[in-house]
């Protein structure tokens, strides 16, 4: 019996691919879920070569709850521990959103309500098994509303609060929920944004997430430097903060 199988939502993201490879190398199974099945099939092949006892692809769209049923049906026949890693997200620039406010709905759905709806749907399955981890990928942007990305930050803040409540619920049934708050990561989301502070490589972030899940961390800042940075930012009085360009 395999140690555990990870349901990886948003498996086409750069961090998710790195996470899937690392999990495979230590013998975990991976069920890759996302929109681009061709891309995910290549990752699944790589994961199988790296040692994953199960490496499969399944269609998933956070904006379409009808896609959830196929995942629930598939995991019903997977034995052992089930865990979920949520990498779903999108980040239009604040300028784009200001020019087209209709982008807000997709941003909130991708980063908060879609993943939350899926996790709420699968929660009874994990509770019944009494084990596993949910790793929800939020962002340091959700710690405080900043002028450059406050819609994206608001969506992540909502997801953080949801995960906190879910952690309270699921922990009573043996399932651990971890909130992950990455800083700036070298992925397609940040390309073209100029010089960014403490820019991390996706492989480093993925390794931190897997290690944090093993250690059952409640909240994980990655890289760790973001914990003191965001502590300071949260403590700045609003009358001062609203004048800053951070």
């Amino acid at each position: 019996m395999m140690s555990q199988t990870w349901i990886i939502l948003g498996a086409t993201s750069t961090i998710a691919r790195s996470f899937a490879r690392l999990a495979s190398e230590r013998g975990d199974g991976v069920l890759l879920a996302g929109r681009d099945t061709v891309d995910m099939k290549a990752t699944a092949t790589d994961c199988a070569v790296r040692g994953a006892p199960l490496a499969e692809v399944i269609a998933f769209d956070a904006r379409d709850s009808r896609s959830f049923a196929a995942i629930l049906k598939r995991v019903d026949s997977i034995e052992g521990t089930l865990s979920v890693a949520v990498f779903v997200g999108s980040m239009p620039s604040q300028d784009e959103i200001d020019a087209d406010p209709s982008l807000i709905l997709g941003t909130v759905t991708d980063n908060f309500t879609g993943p939350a709806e899926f996790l709420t749907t699968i929660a009874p399955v994990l509770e019944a098994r009494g084990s596993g981890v949910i790793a929800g990928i939020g962002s340091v942007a959700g710690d405080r509303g900043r002028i450059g990305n406050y819609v994206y930050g608001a969506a992540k803040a909502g997801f953080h609060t949801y995960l906190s409540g879910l952690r309270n619920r699921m922990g009573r049934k043996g399932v651990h929920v971890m909130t992950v708050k990455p800083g700036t990561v070298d992925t397609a989301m940040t390309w073209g944004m100029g010089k960014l502070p403490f820019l991390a490589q996706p492989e480093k972030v993925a390794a931190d997430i897997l290690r944090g899940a093993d250690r059952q961390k409640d909240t994980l800042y990655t890289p760790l430097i973001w914990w003191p940075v965001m502590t300071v930012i949260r403590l700045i009085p609003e009358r001062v903060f609203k004048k800053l360009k951070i």
Side-chain angles (χ1 to χ4, degrees):
M1 181 181 295
M2 65 186 67
S3 57
Q4 69 179 331
T5 297
W6 285 95
I7 305 166
I8 302 178
L9 305 181
T12 56
S13 84
T14 307
I15 303 173
R17 290 193 198 99
S18 297
F19 182 89
R21 292 174 185 136
L22 289 173
S24 299
E25 288 172 354
R26 69 179 201 173
D28 291 351
V30 292
L31 182 61
L32 307 175
R35 296 173 184 167
D36 190 340
T37 55
V38 174
D39 181 280
M40 292 189 298
K41 284 178 181 177
T43 302
T45 299
D46 186 20
C47 289
V49 171
R50 291 172 184 267
L54 181 150
E56 294 182 9
V57 167
I58 196 162
F60 169 83
D61 188 341
R63 301 187 186 188
D64 184 2
S65 60
R66 292 173 296 180
S67 68
F68 301 174
I71 298 178
L72 294 176
K73 182 177 180 181
R74 178 64 187 93
V75 300
D76 186 55
S77 60
I78 296 176
E79 297 182 352
T81 299
L82 286 175
S83 293
V84 184
V86 182
F87 293 94
V88 179
S90 63
M91 190 177 67
S93 71
Q94 190 61 49
D95 287 342
E96 290 174 314
I97 292 174
D98 291 342
D100 182 5
S102 68
L103 294 174
I104 292 175
L105 179 59
T107 303
V108 173
T109 301
D110 291 342
N111 293 292
F112 173 24
T113 57
E117 184 177 358
F118 176 82
L119 292 176
T120 302
T121 301
I122 202 171
V125 176
L126 303 181
E127 287 177 321
R129 298 197 181 203
S131 61
V133 176
I134 294 172
I137 313 305
S139 171
V140 295
D143 277 7
R144 192 160 192 181
R146 291 179 287 169
I147 193 169
N149 61 357
Y150 56 87
V151 170
Y152 172 76
K156 288 300 189 182
F159 192 43
H160 295 169
T161 301
Y162 169 81
L163 291 170
S164 179
L166 188 66
R167 179 162 46 249
N168 199 317
R169 167 189 168 179
M170 302 291 280
R172 301 162 195 259
K173 299 291 186 178
V175 182
H176 183 69
V177 178
M178 178 176 68
T179 304
V180 182
K181 298 183 179 183
T184 50
V185 185
D186 187 11
T187 68
M189 272 191 178
T190 58
W191 294 343
M193 295 177 66
K195 188 175 181 179
L196 298 171
F198 312 120
L199 185 68
Q201 294 305 307
E203 296 81 7
K204 159 67 174 170
V205 173
D208 284 349
I209 295 169
L210 195 58
R211 187 181 307 110
D214 289 343
R215 296 177 179 178
Q216 296 201 336
K217 299 278 290 185
D218 291 327
T219 300
L220 173 72
Y221 284 90
T222 173
L224 185 59
I225 185 62
W226 285 100
W227 176 75
V229 169
M230 296 313 299
T231 298
V232 171
I233 289 176
R234 287 196 306 270
L235 291 174
I236 298 173
E238 193 70 14
R239 65 182 180 276
V240 175
F241 187 79
K242 66 183 181 181
K243 299 176 182 179
L244 302 177
K245 295 182 179 180
I246 61 174

